[in-house]
Amino acid sequence: MLLRLKALLKTMNEKKNRANWNIAATHFLTAGFVMPFLVKLVAMAIIGALFMSLSFATAYIIQLVVIILSVWLGVMYSAKYIYKKYVITNSGSIIGLSTAYTIVLQGILLIIGISRVNGVSTDTAYSVILSLVLILSFYFFSKKYVSANSAPSVA
């Protein structure tokens, strides 16, 4: 029984060889979707409750800062996770694919936003800027934190 448990723990700690698209999807979902969504949800609820009478410009700048912070935190967490769990032979490919996934998702969200307001408005322009900030910060933070670890090892 103890040997089985040790063998199970050993296989759980071994780095897995996965396709780059799979690792990129994990990175994108964690750092480019879930973390920004959760951090923005919590931060905007707190800021909205504390500062109800913020001007539009101030609220917009706070949104930009929250997006950059959430992407930074998400990329750091995701990079540590995928570095520990997966064999990364080509970090550039993973960064490129996950950035492409982020661009596609942000594009879909922008199209949905445009269709909801029946055309392009100033809100759409602001949404485009927020999406570009998210995409660019995701790409540059990923470049900084996601690195190759081609030798499989036991953590």
Side-chain angles (χ1 to χ4, degrees), residues 4-151:
R4 278 191 191 161
L5 184 60
K6 283 183 181 180
L8 179 63
L9 288 174
K10 183 180 178 188
T11 58
M12 287 176 56
N13 288 333
E14 286 181 3
K15 290 185 180 182
K16 297 174 182 89
N17 238 340
R18 297 282 191 249
N20 285 342
W21 68 265
N22 192 341
I23 300 171
T26 302
H27 179 60
F28 153 72
L29 286 173
T30 304
F33 182 68
V34 173
M35 191 66 90
F37 176 75
L38 292 177
V39 170
K40 187 175 178 183
L41 184 70
V42 170
M44 289 300 141
I46 292 170
I47 291 168
L50 294 176
F51 308 105
M52 292 199 123
S53 62
L54 286 176
S55 70
F56 179 78
T58 306
Y60 186 69
I61 290 170
I62 290 172
Q63 270 189 316
L64 287 171
V65 170
V66 166
I67 284 175
I68 292 170
L69 178 68
S70 66
V71 170
W72 175 63
L73 291 171
V75 168
M76 281 193 340
Y77 173 77
S78 177
K80 286 179 186 177
Y81 177 78
I82 64 174
Y83 190 84
K84 184 172 73 171
K85 291 291 183 184
Y86 300 110
V87 175
I88 302 170
T89 55
N90 185 359
S91 62
S93 174
I94 292 168
I95 293 166
L97 283 169
S98 59
T99 303
Y101 298 157
T102 305
I103 290 169
V104 169
L105 176 71
Q106 291 302 313
I108 290 169
L109 293 174
L110 285 172
I111 290 169
I112 291 170
I114 290 170
S115 67
R116 289 177 72 194
V117 292
N118 296 327
V120 178
S121 66
T122 53
D123 287 343
T124 305
Y126 292 127
S127 295
V128 168
I129 293 170
L130 290 172
S131 293
L132 287 174
V133 166
L134 188 140
I135 291 166
L136 291 174
S137 59
F138 179 83
Y139 176 77
F140 288 116
F141 288 137
S142 293
K143 278 293 227 188
K144 180 174 179 157
Y145 293 108
V146 176
S147 59
N149 64 353
S150 57

